[in-house]
Structure formats: structure tokens, C-alpha cells
Amino acid sequence: MTDAGFAYSNLFRKDLPPPAPRWTGFPKYNFIGGHNDPVRIPAAALAEAATSVLRRRGADLALYNFDGPQGYLELRQLVVDKVAQRPAIKCTVDDVLITSGSGQAIDLVNGLLLERGDTVILEEFTYGGALTKLKRLGVNIIGAPLDEEGLKIDALARIIEDLGRKGIIPKYVYTIPTVQNPTGSILPLERREALLALTRKHGVPVFEDECYADLTWDGDGPPALYAIDPQQVIHIGSFSKTLAPSLRLGYAIADWQAMSRLVACKRETDSGTGALDQMVVAEYFSQNFDDHVGGLTETLHQKLDAMVEAVEREFGTAIEKMWKPKGGIFLWLKLPDRIDVTKLVAPAAKAGVVFNPGPEWSCDPDTTKSHLRLCFALPSKDMIREGVAAFARVCYEETGIPEQSANVRRTRRAD
Ligand SMILES: Cc1ncc(COP(=O)(O)O)c(C=O)c1O
């Protein structure tokens, strides 16, 4: 780095994203993104797993993609066994591609199907990262309405039929059916079947993102869409939420017709996903998956309770709607229409609080200015309570809402 700066910045590509700010560390109350619970990272067991697998297979690191371009065989087998148990997917290691996070799987599926000007259907509230990628690709994004149970199939049918009348067949319907991000809903079996019947009728593939499907409060949910109709669906998942996001491991499951192309696309992108990460996760999870995920889910559920309690105490009736999630790590909320949460971002950050404003998690940003998403996985229960109180204070100072929060806080202090 020189004082004068890079000499060729005039040659930077024209449509670059805005420059990143220099990182200044994490804020005190971090409700942003999809971090995990640090106390639940099994660091000692991962160290043992690393030692044991390196002793056994360490020499293989001399090769690129030593188990082939789809990834470490033991990890693919673990995925096969894991998805057979929970969302009831029957597949083989040949149907699984290990990716560098499920974010890469999204890029690969987009690379497989999308060209500029194409149309895709997403859930009206959805994963912000998926939206960012699609905007960059220049595709038309249409939001399909959700209710407490997930995608409203009749409304989706109307959207697909309207598009059909204009001669447009969407390239896919992207859905997060089990523990939807951000609402936390789980799509019931009848709607899954209806969704598959509808999309099959119109020749539209389904892109199923199951990042959070292992983290449900009430055990097994309905089968994955891929489990019901593998020819209609490309399925992706992640180890970020069940273990650790910094590992950067995810996977795609697809039949060979699509898989052979995804593998080819990945080979154009990288020279393989980090093998050591794959080896350690396979080694650890082949012994501990159920115990680890069971314990983590319990912790997350307790943290959700702490967050719901704090939000109800601090915001009271100012919360117009709270989607109580059926698993996962997020709480999705709506404040009164006259609050524009994007205007709270800067003052909240000054008070050490960061959160995800609704417009970034929505196909229609203008109608979600009073929505927000809070991640409860990373902070401790005490930090959740303190952070939500600090956020309510900022909200009150900036908007006069929640009116009753000062009284509530006084009552608590007097207790
Ligand atoms: C629905 C969904 N899909 C995909 C991802 C990407 O996760 P990763 O790349 O860490 O696997 C996320 C991250 O939060 C997500 O919420």
C-alpha cells in the first residue's frame, strides 16, 4: 500500500460493487448475518479429528481434488447418510457436490441456469445473499407471497400463469422450505406436493435451499422437495449453521444431468474446496452429528426464547408482527409503518447494535422498510437482553417508538 494509492484504479471494471469499508472489528451487540454459537464450537474434538484424519490421509493433500472433483468421499458419504435420515433424501455420493459454502452452490446453480434478462421467482422475504447474486446477474426477480407456513401456492400459481401469458417461463422457483430465512416457517407436506405439481405442470425447476433444516425445534419436518421429486429439484445445504460458518463448507445434490454441469462449472471457478476442512468435518461429524446438532438446537431454542422475551419486554405493542421461527437462528419482526429501519442502522451501530434491515431481505424493498431481522445465535443470553434494550432505546430516541419502553425499563430496575 502506498500513500498515493493504486496507480491503475482508472482501469477498474465499471460495474464494481461499492468499495468495502476497512474492517474495524465486530460490534458489541451483533444481531447481523448468520453467525453461530461460539460456545457450541467443539474446538477440542475438531482438533482431535484433525489429528486423526491427517495421520490417516494427510499425504493425499499432495493432490488437487484427491477424491475427485465432487469432493472428499467421506464427506459426501456423510451428506448421503445425513440427508437420508432427516429430509428423507435417497441419493448416492455421485449425486453430491461439496462446495465452498452453500453460497458457492447458489453461484453454481445460477451459473447453470441463468442468463441476463431471465426471470426467477423467490419468496417475497428471502436470503439477502441470494438477492445480491441475482441482482448482479441482471435477472428479473419476482417475489411470491408467504404466510406463516411458507409459500402460498395459489398465489405462486397466479404469478406463474401471469408470466406464462406474457410468454415468460421462470428459470426457477428458489425456496427455503424448512426454516425459511428470514421467517422461520416450515412448509407443510401438502404445500410441498402442490408446489412440485404446479412447477412440474409449467416446466419450472425448483431450487431448494436447506441451510437450516437440521436445526428445527420439533425434530423431523416433512421430506425435502428433492426427496419427493429429484428430477424437478436441485437441493443445496450447508455446514455453516450445523457446525461453523468459517469452515466454508456446503453441498449441492442433483441428478447427474444437472450434477455433471455443476461439476464442470465448479472446475471453471476453483481448483477444489479446501480438503482439510472437508476431512475434519467428515471425521468429526461421522461420530457426533446427532449429539452435536441436538445440543446446538437446544441452545439456539433457549436463545430464541431469551430474544422473544427481550423484544416483547422492550418493544411491547410496537411489534406489529413477530414471526416465531420453528428452528434456525433468526427472528423476523415488523415495527409500525412509520418506522423506516434503514434510518436506524447508523444510530444503532453507534450504540454498538447491528441488525439486518428488512429491505435487504425482501424482493420488494419499498414495502419492507419497517421489517428487520435479528440473529440470536452468536450473542449470549445476557448480551441478547442488553442489546435488544439498547436497540429499543435507539429506536425510541430516533422515532418516539416504542413509547412504553422507558416505563418498562424503570419497572425492571425497581425489581
Ligand atoms: C438460506 C441461505 N442459503 C445460503 C447461505 C449461505 O451460507 P454458507 O455459504 O455459509 O453455506 C445462507 C447464509 O446465511 C442462507 O441463509
mmCIF file of all heavy atoms in Angstrom, residues 101-103 106 127 174 176 181 209 211-212 238 240-241 248, ligand 1:
data_model
loop_
_atom_site.group_PDB
_atom_site.id
_atom_site.type_symbol
_atom_site.label_atom_id
_atom_site.label_comp_id
_atom_site.label_asym_id
_atom_site.label_seq_id
_atom_site.Cartn_x
_atom_site.Cartn_y
_atom_site.Cartn_z
ATOM 1 N N GLY A 101 -18.939 -23.452 0.923
ATOM 2 C CA GLY A 101 -20.142 -22.808 1.453
ATOM 3 C C GLY A 101 -21.301 -23.047 0.502
ATOM 4 O O GLY A 101 -21.093 -23.308 -0.696
ATOM 5 N N SER A 102 -22.528 -22.969 1.049
ATOM 6 C CA SER A 102 -23.655 -23.149 0.126
ATOM 7 C C SER A 102 -23.824 -21.909 -0.747
ATOM 8 O O SER A 102 -24.497 -21.942 -1.767
ATOM 9 C CB SER A 102 -24.940 -23.506 0.867
ATOM 10 O OG SER A 102 -25.264 -22.514 1.799
ATOM 11 N N GLY A 103 -23.169 -20.803 -0.349
ATOM 12 C CA GLY A 103 -23.150 -19.618 -1.214
ATOM 13 C C GLY A 103 -22.545 -19.972 -2.573
ATOM 14 O O GLY A 103 -23.043 -19.522 -3.617
ATOM 15 N N ILE A 106 -25.068 -21.753 -4.614
ATOM 16 C CA ILE A 106 -26.030 -20.830 -5.253
ATOM 17 C C ILE A 106 -25.422 -20.262 -6.537
ATOM 18 O O ILE A 106 -26.064 -20.236 -7.596
ATOM 19 C CB ILE A 106 -26.445 -19.691 -4.283
ATOM 20 C CG1 ILE A 106 -27.175 -20.280 -3.069
ATOM 21 C CG2 ILE A 106 -27.302 -18.643 -4.996
ATOM 22 C CD1 ILE A 106 -27.591 -19.249 -2.020
ATOM 23 N N TYR A 127 -33.382 -14.891 1.488
ATOM 24 C CA TYR A 127 -31.974 -14.742 1.844
ATOM 25 C C TYR A 127 -31.343 -13.588 1.048
ATOM 26 O O TYR A 127 -31.325 -13.614 -0.189
ATOM 27 C CB TYR A 127 -31.277 -16.078 1.568
ATOM 28 C CG TYR A 127 -29.784 -16.046 1.641
ATOM 29 C CD1 TYR A 127 -29.108 -15.418 2.685
ATOM 30 C CD2 TYR A 127 -29.019 -16.669 0.660
ATOM 31 C CE1 TYR A 127 -27.733 -15.403 2.742
ATOM 32 C CE2 TYR A 127 -27.631 -16.668 0.716
ATOM 33 C CZ TYR A 127 -27.003 -16.020 1.744
ATOM 34 O OH TYR A 127 -25.631 -16.014 1.797
ATOM 35 N N TYR A 174 -36.929 -20.329 -6.361
ATOM 36 C CA TYR A 174 -35.967 -20.541 -5.260
ATOM 37 C C TYR A 174 -36.742 -20.505 -3.949
ATOM 38 O O TYR A 174 -37.462 -19.538 -3.669
ATOM 39 C CB TYR A 174 -34.921 -19.431 -5.291
ATOM 40 C CG TYR A 174 -34.007 -19.368 -4.069
ATOM 41 C CD1 TYR A 174 -32.952 -20.264 -3.914
ATOM 42 C CD2 TYR A 174 -34.191 -18.402 -3.081
ATOM 43 C CE1 TYR A 174 -32.100 -20.195 -2.810
ATOM 44 C CE2 TYR A 174 -33.353 -18.322 -1.979
ATOM 45 C CZ TYR A 174 -32.306 -19.218 -1.851
ATOM 46 O OH TYR A 174 -31.468 -19.150 -0.761
ATOM 47 N N ILE A 176 -36.804 -21.727 0.424
ATOM 48 C CA ILE A 176 -36.155 -22.242 1.635
ATOM 49 C C ILE A 176 -37.295 -22.867 2.447
ATOM 50 O O ILE A 176 -37.857 -22.237 3.336
ATOM 51 C CB ILE A 176 -35.465 -21.098 2.413
ATOM 52 C CG1 ILE A 176 -34.596 -20.259 1.472
ATOM 53 C CG2 ILE A 176 -34.634 -21.664 3.580
ATOM 54 C CD1 ILE A 176 -34.158 -18.916 2.044
ATOM 55 N N ASN A 181 -35.647 -18.536 5.656
ATOM 56 C CA ASN A 181 -34.884 -17.348 6.035
ATOM 57 C C ASN A 181 -35.522 -16.163 5.325
ATOM 58 O O ASN A 181 -35.539 -16.150 4.095
ATOM 59 C CB ASN A 181 -33.424 -17.524 5.586
ATOM 60 C CG ASN A 181 -32.555 -16.325 5.922
ATOM 61 O OD1 ASN A 181 -33.009 -15.346 6.474
ATOM 62 N ND2 ASN A 181 -31.273 -16.415 5.573
ATOM 63 N N ASP A 209 -33.192 -24.593 -0.997
ATOM 64 C CA ASP A 209 -32.050 -24.231 -0.149
ATOM 65 C C ASP A 209 -32.389 -24.649 1.289
ATOM 66 O O ASP A 209 -33.281 -24.089 1.916
ATOM 67 C CB ASP A 209 -31.827 -22.714 -0.252
ATOM 68 C CG ASP A 209 -30.580 -22.253 0.487
ATOM 69 O OD1 ASP A 209 -30.065 -23.015 1.328
ATOM 70 O OD2 ASP A 209 -30.134 -21.120 0.228
ATOM 71 N N CYS A 211 -30.451 -24.705 4.225
ATOM 72 C CA CYS A 211 -29.387 -24.317 5.148
ATOM 73 C C CYS A 211 -29.667 -24.644 6.612
ATOM 74 O O CYS A 211 -28.775 -24.941 7.371
ATOM 75 C CB CYS A 211 -29.279 -22.814 5.039
ATOM 76 S SG CYS A 211 -27.707 -22.211 4.649
ATOM 77 N N TYR A 212 -30.944 -24.536 6.987
ATOM 78 C CA TYR A 212 -31.286 -24.594 8.425
ATOM 79 C C TYR A 212 -32.100 -25.832 8.786
ATOM 80 O O TYR A 212 -32.587 -25.948 9.914
ATOM 81 C CB TYR A 212 -32.084 -23.327 8.816
ATOM 82 C CG TYR A 212 -31.340 -22.070 8.454
ATOM 83 C CD1 TYR A 212 -31.549 -21.433 7.244
ATOM 84 C CD2 TYR A 212 -30.368 -21.562 9.309
ATOM 85 C CE1 TYR A 212 -30.825 -20.305 6.888
ATOM 86 C CE2 TYR A 212 -29.637 -20.433 8.954
ATOM 87 C CZ TYR A 212 -29.875 -19.818 7.750
ATOM 88 O OH TYR A 212 -29.148 -18.708 7.407
ATOM 89 N N SER A 238 -25.732 -26.806 3.878
ATOM 90 C CA SER A 238 -24.525 -26.151 4.396
ATOM 91 C C SER A 238 -24.100 -26.755 5.723
ATOM 92 O O SER A 238 -24.932 -27.262 6.474
ATOM 93 C CB SER A 238 -24.842 -24.669 4.602
ATOM 94 O OG SER A 238 -23.742 -23.998 5.141
ATOM 95 N N SER A 240 -22.419 -24.571 7.592
ATOM 96 C CA SER A 240 -22.205 -23.313 8.314
ATOM 97 C C SER A 240 -23.089 -23.231 9.547
ATOM 98 O O SER A 240 -22.678 -22.728 10.586
ATOM 99 C CB SER A 240 -22.544 -22.126 7.418
ATOM 100 O OG SER A 240 -21.601 -22.000 6.395
ATOM 101 N N LYS A 241 -24.321 -23.685 9.411
ATOM 102 C CA LYS A 241 -25.277 -23.497 10.502
ATOM 103 C C LYS A 241 -25.225 -24.662 11.483
ATOM 104 O O LYS A 241 -25.474 -24.484 12.668
ATOM 105 C CB LYS A 241 -26.697 -23.328 9.940
ATOM 106 C CG LYS A 241 -26.775 -22.420 8.735
ATOM 107 C CD LYS A 241 -26.266 -21.002 8.997
ATOM 108 C CE LYS A 241 -26.087 -20.260 7.683
ATOM 109 N NZ LYS A 241 -25.720 -18.859 7.855
ATOM 110 N N ARG A 248 -16.549 -22.779 5.756
ATOM 111 C CA ARG A 248 -16.923 -22.602 4.340
ATOM 112 C C ARG A 248 -17.161 -23.930 3.637
ATOM 113 O O ARG A 248 -16.484 -24.266 2.656
ATOM 114 C CB ARG A 248 -15.860 -21.767 3.577
ATOM 115 C CG ARG A 248 -15.476 -20.453 4.198
ATOM 116 C CD ARG A 248 -16.656 -19.562 4.532
ATOM 117 N NE ARG A 248 -17.547 -19.329 3.403
ATOM 118 C CZ ARG A 248 -18.866 -19.534 3.456
ATOM 119 N NH1 ARG A 248 -19.477 -19.953 4.571
ATOM 120 N NH2 ARG A 248 -19.590 -19.315 2.403
HETATM 121 C C1 LIG B 1 -30.722 -19.503 3.087
HETATM 122 C C2 LIG B 1 -29.238 -19.417 2.990
HETATM 123 N N1 LIG B 1 -28.620 -20.021 1.967
HETATM 124 C C3 LIG B 1 -27.288 -19.975 1.838
HETATM 125 C C4 LIG B 1 -26.499 -19.303 2.756
HETATM 126 C C5 LIG B 1 -25.010 -19.295 2.549
HETATM 127 O O1 LIG B 1 -24.364 -19.917 3.603
HETATM 128 P P1 LIG B 1 -22.928 -20.570 3.506
HETATM 129 O O2 LIG B 1 -22.276 -20.077 2.247
HETATM 130 O O3 LIG B 1 -22.206 -20.134 4.729
HETATM 131 O O4 LIG B 1 -23.147 -22.048 3.466
HETATM 132 C C6 LIG B 1 -27.095 -18.655 3.838
HETATM 133 C C7 LIG B 1 -26.298 -17.914 4.817
HETATM 134 O O5 LIG B 1 -26.742 -17.308 5.756
HETATM 135 C C8 LIG B 1 -28.515 -18.718 3.958
HETATM 136 O O6 LIG B 1 -29.156 -18.129 4.956
#
